[in-house]
Amino acid sequence: SFVNEFDAAATTGQLYAFKTYEDTTTGNPAEEDQFSATLRPAGDDAATAPMPAGAEGEGTGRTITTSFSGVGSTLSAAFGKMSFQYAGAEQTYYYEVSEDLPEGATADNKYTVGGMTYDPTVYTVRVTVSAAQSSTGATTQLTYAIAQSAYEDITQDTVWTSFSPSATRDDSQPLFTNTYRASSDEGDTNAQITGIKNITGRTFAEGETFTFSVSVSAMDVNGQPIADAPLPSNVQDGTYTLTIADSAGK
């Protein structure tokens, strides 16, 4: 009988995450280890997927968490190295990467706690293990793709983007955005817009009203528009209606 064996040398892979931090007050810079991200295996082979040293839990419940570090508006986090080895057939592993949300950050409050808005995005990274033959022998080869979706939400229509993991930020790798806006200890700070209507040459007519519109053209410290700038609570279709009457209520 004849036995053929294919032995490919193992290789290591490492995943990274990045963060864009925006402080609209310019007085609350990001602190070291203030934010963190978690890597977890997913899919049918989650229980046997390679994980970095130091991962906690067992089987499909394994996770590893790492803090973001850096200075300024761009932060990064590096998960530990993982060892992969081609075992005679192509193998695919899936991993989820997500930012760790503080207690109280929910969809109901737009993931905002204490003025800080967190990013609930979950990415799924696909790692395909194959072999490459060279003059020096066979080596294990890794290819990567990413989807902006939790693993359980992936369908045949999910868009996968190929990428190469790197400690240098690029938009193809997991990217999370946090924004800080000032708030009071009791919650969001309220502000009220007031105005005075003057009529010259006559008095208010009985039942007469005037309608005014309040619109927003807000910019952050970088001159970029703020899409979700606040408006009064009873705004309809972007317009806040004010009714003016004389001091006698006529």
Side-chain angles (χ1 to χ4, degrees):
S1 62
F2 299 92
V3 177
N4 292 75
E5 294 184 355
F6 186 88
D7 186 19
T11 191
T12 59
Q14 187 171 15
L15 296 176
Y16 302 84
F18 298 88
K19 176 175 296 298
T20 296
Y21 176 67
E22 179 185 5
D23 173 20
T24 63
T25 70
T26 70
N28 190 53
E31 299 178 359
E32 196 78 10
D33 301 332
Q34 181 177 0
F35 306 103
S36 60
T38 294
L39 173 75
R40 57 178 54 82
D44 295 339
D45 295 319
T48 58
M51 283 286 285
E56 298 182 347
E58 298 180 356
T60 58
R62 292 172 297 160
T63 62
I64 188 161
T65 297
T66 186
S67 296
F68 286 93
S69 61
V71 177
S73 61
T74 301
L75 310 174
S76 62
F79 298 101
K81 293 182 178 180
M82 299 178 285
S83 179
F84 297 86
Q85 184 163 20
Y86 179 77
E90 186 174 278
Q91 181 67 53
T92 301
Y93 298 105
Y94 295 91
Y95 299 88
E96 287 185 340
V97 180
S98 59
E99 176 180 17
D100 297 322
L101 305 180
E103 184 178 357
T106 66
D108 291 338
N109 59 18
K110 297 182 179 180
Y111 302 98
T112 301
V113 175
M116 184 73 71
T117 299
Y118 295 83
D119 193 333
T121 304
V122 178
Y123 294 92
T124 296
V125 175
R126 182 178 67 201
V127 182
T128 302
V129 184
S130 59
Q133 187 71 45
S134 68
S135 58
T136 58
T139 59
T140 298
Q141 179 175 275
L142 305 178
T143 54
Y144 299 84
I146 187 171
Q148 190 171 323
S149 174
Y151 179 81
E152 65 180 4
D153 297 327
I154 288 176
T155 68
Q156 61 181 5
D157 297 323
T158 296
V159 176
W160 292 92
T161 302
S162 299
F163 76 102
S164 297
S166 170
T168 301
R169 172 180 165 171
D170 65 71
D171 291 341
S172 66
Q173 300 186 79
L175 175 62
F176 304 94
T177 300
N178 295 72
T179 302
Y180 178 76
R181 297 184 177 90
S183 68
S184 67
D185 293 339
E186 292 77 26
D188 293 338
T189 300
N190 295 320
Q192 186 172 5
I193 300 172
T194 61
I196 298 174
K197 175 68 175 178
N198 292 320
I199 294 182
T200 303
R202 68 177 179 85
T203 59
F204 277 106
E206 183 175 354
E208 185 177 23
T209 61
F210 296 87
T211 300
F212 300 86
S213 296
V214 178
S215 60
V216 175
S217 179
M219 298 289 179
D220 62 22
V221 293
N222 298 313
Q224 299 298 312
I226 300 175
D228 57 348
L231 277 169
S233 59
N234 55 343
V235 164
Q236 293 184 356
D237 299 326
T239 300
Y240 179 57
T241 301
L242 304 175
T243 301
I244 309 297
D246 67 13
S247 60
K250 297 181 180 178

